[in-house]
Amino acid sequence: MKTSKKYRLVVGQSLKAIRLPARGERQLKRARPAKLTVAASVVAKALRATAGAKEVIEKLPGLSNWAAWLPLATFSVCLKTGTAAYLDIWDSDHFDYFTDMQRCLTDCRAWFSADGFTYWDSPQTKTGRINCYFNAPSMGDYVCNAQLHSYSGPAQVECLIDSFSYGPLPFDGPINQPHPASLGAGYHSFRIRQISGSFFFISLTVWKV
């Protein structure tokens, strides 16, 4: 086994033991896992409730007929379907007994912390990112639904399709937020970037409309 030639061995010293916090001190308010939203009718309702929906539906009339939407791709921590290619999750947070890796897989979600937790050595960076790569089979209109859930207060993210930004998305609690897009045939990346607040990533679903 090789060792680094640029590293010099020293003796660490910490003669005073630290306190092992009781497990109860790590208990946080439980956030009930959400069910994945894969029903086009639910997404269509959320789309119509969003400011600017009327103008967008006039430009993309297929958005008004959710029964004709074709499911294309689903992304979650525990599931990928359809033309979903890659799911990249950056700077997600593992807090033992709350959002440890096994629990995230069981609950099918990923957690991004924000402020607090400095006692546990959290850097409070707010740099969480999710990249969902999928294939659009043909040029046309699509809708990408981001399902998120803020934790312990409001949160804000930025959503993008490739390099096009939809701007800041504020939310408090669970949210289904559709993002309409006109796409060329081929691969595209829907991206979610943490701006502020703590949240769970539940899923991203894509339909051709």
Side-chain angles (χ1 to χ4, degrees), residues 86-204:
Y86 306 129
L87 170 62
D88 299 327
I89 298 176
W90 301 105
D91 294 351
S92 178
D93 293 295
H94 168 124
F95 190 58
D96 214 5
Y97 298 112
F98 177 59
T99 56
D100 53 66
M101 294 180 187
Q102 183 57 58
R103 192 179 294 271
C104 286
L105 287 172
T106 301
D107 293 346
C108 200
R109 60 185 181 177
W111 182 55
F112 300 89
S113 68
D115 297 322
F117 305 97
T118 52
Y119 178 83
W120 313 99
D121 208 24
S122 166
Q124 304 184 115
T125 50
K126 307 177 190 68
T127 53
R129 293 193 173 191
I130 302 122
N131 295 338
C132 302
Y133 295 87
F134 64 93
N135 183 36
S138 60
M139 179 179 290
D141 300 327
Y142 296 80
V143 60
C144 304
N145 182 65
Q147 185 181 7
L148 310 170
H149 194 308
S150 71
Y151 177 76
S152 191
Q156 189 169 192
V157 299
E158 177 191 13
C159 294
L160 305 91
I161 184 69
D162 300 328
S163 60
F164 178 88
S165 173
Y166 288 93
L169 170 62
F171 56 104
D172 193 353
I175 187 174
N176 279 293
Q177 184 57 60
H179 297 79
S182 295
L183 304 178
Y187 284 95
H188 297 274
S189 173
F190 189 90
R191 306 177 181 192
I192 302 171
R193 297 176 177 175
Q194 183 181 22
I195 297 175
S196 64
S198 170
F199 72 96
F200 289 95
F201 166 69
I202 311 299
S203 69
L204 179 83

Side-chain angles (χ1 to χ4, degrees), residues 48-83:
R48 291 193 301 270
T50 304
K54 183 178 179 181
E55 293 84 351
V56 170
I57 292 173
E58 288 176 354
K59 293 179 180 178
L60 308 180
L63 291 171
S64 63
N65 185 14
W66 61 263
W69 295 3
L70 298 176
L72 187 69
T74 300
F75 298 84
S76 72
V77 170
C78 60
L79 176 73
K80 287 192 299 183
T81 66
T83 68

